[in-house]
Amino acid sequence: MKFPIEAKKTIQDYNAKPSLSALTAQAESVIDLIAPQNCIGIRLDLVLAQLLPQWSRSRLQSWILEKRVHVDGKAAIPKQKIWGNEKISIRPHIVPVNTAHAAEAISLKIIYEDNQLLVINKPAGIVVHPGNGNWQGTLLNALLHYRKQLNEIPRAGIVHRLDKDTSGLLVVAKTIEAQTSLVRQLQQHTVKRDYFAIVLGEVKQSGYIDAPVGRHPVQRTKMAVTIHGKPARTNYQILEHFEGCTLLCCSLETGRTHQIRVHMHSIGHPLVGDPVYTGKPKKLPVEIARLIMQFPRQALHAQQLALAHPQHGEIMKWDSALPEDINILLQGLRQYRAVSSVSLS
């Protein structure tokens, strides 16, 4: 069932405030909510999926079946509908993260921390969340070692990801409330995320790409621009031109998997070094071709992150300097440009 437009907006604007800051093994906390007034005839699981986006709909449905969800004091039933203003209480059943993933002593470059947030500068080469053959040595493993309290937060507080070989800024929630706030901000596209990207070819002018991104219809390990995908929009601004490539600042309005990589590939400017969404540079001077072909990863760095603090609402912003490998690549490109300019003059 689809939400009526008015009801959907009400749910998106609704500020659910769980009564817990962390779950403990000694006692399960209860989340108390009031159903938004405009949820007329909408199924309970759909309403909960909007109000509590940090948990999947399937998990919420399982809690309904387990009688962990009550509406106006009575145990909820599957497919129950909501009519507005009902008192809803949820007694979550959280499986500690470390029953599936072990804490590991992996160093983290933390650039900001308070009682609600961690902001991490992730190096290239580290996977954010275990899966697909990467079950150890991930950022999640490192977080569980760094702060044991993150074991009590779904996904150890991770609310968004960077690809393994993308470097840069990533925010982690330290409480359920912070996670709820950050997920909502990401859904409402109010989190500012800017990336430095070096792409193949000369981009003629700054612009944007508004094209849906979804699973590739044939190569299921890849994403692609497809009419069946989810809405995705990337703004890009030219920062610097080189022989055979361009330095861009890419700003995300949405956060689809591989979004920048897929979007830039779709307009004929794949990222330098991208092993998946690859492209062959046109005829280039030997020095430039060597620099580009030897770069070992996609040239993508999450350079700036800005969001509203979950506790006090103040807009906070962090910046990350370019990592050494991208700096070395840029230095080589600039040196060639300088030498070429002198020889042509």
Side-chain angles (χ1 to χ4, degrees):
M1 176 184 291
K2 293 185 177 180
F3 287 101
I5 294 175
E6 186 179 359
K8 188 172 182 179
K9 184 179 187 302
T10 301
I11 289 178
Q12 289 174 341
D13 293 341
Y14 184 78
N15 185 22
K17 292 186 177 180
S19 62
L20 70 162
S21 59
L23 301 174
T24 65
Q26 289 74 27
E28 290 180 324
S29 299
V30 175
I31 300 173
D32 292 314
L33 305 170
I34 301 294
Q37 293 181 355
N38 287 8
C39 293
I40 300 173
I42 298 174
R43 271 179 30 184
L44 172 62
D45 60 332
L46 296 176
V47 174
L48 292 180
Q50 290 290 325
L51 298 181
L52 300 171
Q54 70 269 34
W55 286 305
S56 68
R57 185 174 157 199
S58 61
R59 177 173 289 192
L60 293 167
Q61 289 171 332
S62 70
W63 290 346
I64 293 172
L65 291 171
E66 294 168 7
K67 308 298 183 184
R68 291 179 169 273
V69 180
H70 286 69
V71 177
D72 288 335
K74 297 182 180 179
I77 60 175
K79 299 184 180 181
Q80 179 167 344
K81 292 184 178 180
I82 294 297
W83 302 97
N85 291 320
E86 292 94 335
K87 293 181 179 180
I88 305 172
S89 63
I90 304 102
R91 187 163 49 88
H93 178 223
I94 305 298
V95 178
V97 177
N98 65 8
T99 61
H101 309 299
E104 295 182 47
I106 301 169
S107 63
L108 294 169
K109 187 175 182 181
I110 296 169
I111 66 170
Y112 177 83
E113 182 175 10
D114 61 20
N115 64 338
Q116 298 289 316
L117 302 176
L118 275 171
V119 178
I120 295 167
N121 195 8
K122 186 188 88 67
I126 186 169
V127 173
V128 171
H129 195 282
N132 296 326
N134 296 291
W135 299 106
Q136 294 178 318
T138 71
L139 181 67
L140 183 143
N141 300 120
L143 288 169
L144 293 178
H145 181 269
Y146 178 71
R147 286 284 183 261
K148 290 183 179 180
Q149 74 189 73
L150 294 176
N151 178 63
E152 299 166 355
I153 311 297
R155 296 177 296 280
I158 295 169
V159 294
H160 69 116
R161 303 186 189 187
L162 296 176
D163 296 335
K164 175 182 178 180
D165 288 325
T166 297
S167 54
L169 298 175
L170 184 141
V171 65
V172 175
K174 293 175 67 176
T175 68
I176 292 288
E177 292 92 341
Q179 190 175 53
T180 300
S181 172
L182 293 174
V183 169
R184 286 211 180 99
Q185 291 183 58
L186 287 163
Q187 289 178 334
Q188 295 165 5
H189 314 313
T190 58
V191 177
K192 180 178 174 61
R193 288 172 288 171
D194 292 343
Y195 293 70
F196 282 146
I198 305 175
V199 301
L200 293 174
E202 181 181 351
V203 180
K204 299 297 184 182
Q205 61 183 14
S206 300
Y208 68 89
I209 304 166
D210 195 341
V213 172
R215 189 67 58 184
H216 193 287
V218 178
Q219 298 171 282
R220 304 302 291 173
T221 59
K222 296 175 63 174
M223 308 299 287
V225 169
T226 168
I227 59 173
H228 302 295
K230 295 181 179 180
R233 183 179 173 107
T234 303
N235 300 298
Y236 59 92
Q237 181 181 0
I238 296 170
L239 299 179
E240 200 169 351
H241 279 125
F242 305 102
E243 183 77 29
C245 53
T246 307
L247 175 63
L248 302 176
C249 176
C250 294
S251 301
L252 293 181
E253 290 192 22
T254 54
R256 308 305 176 201
T257 301
H258 298 178
Q259 179 174 316
I260 293 174
R261 299 166 65 187
V262 169
H263 270 174
M264 297 315 301
H265 179 266
S266 74
I267 63 170
H269 294 288
L271 270 66
V272 167
D274 195 327
V276 178
Y277 309 99
T278 187
K280 293 183 179 180
K282 297 179 181 179
K283 292 183 179 179
L284 294 172
V286 174
E287 297 89 339
I288 296 296
R290 178 178 54 80
L291 284 171
I292 291 174
M293 298 303 291
Q294 288 182 352
F295 195 74
R297 65 177 178 102
Q298 64 262 15
L300 188 62
H301 176 71
Q303 181 265 335
Q304 188 175 94
L305 175 68
L307 50 85
H309 192 279
Q311 196 166 49
H312 49 67
E314 179 184 349
I315 299 298
M316 305 190 72
K317 184 173 72 173
W318 300 273
D319 294 276
S320 170
L322 283 170
E324 183 179 7
D325 59 350
I326 293 182
N327 262 327
I328 291 173
L329 174 59
L330 288 174
Q331 288 171 11
L333 294 170
R334 287 170 182 147
Q335 286 173 1
Y336 181 86
R337 184 178 59 196
V339 171
S340 297
S341 298
V342 171
S343 63
L344 291 172
S345 60

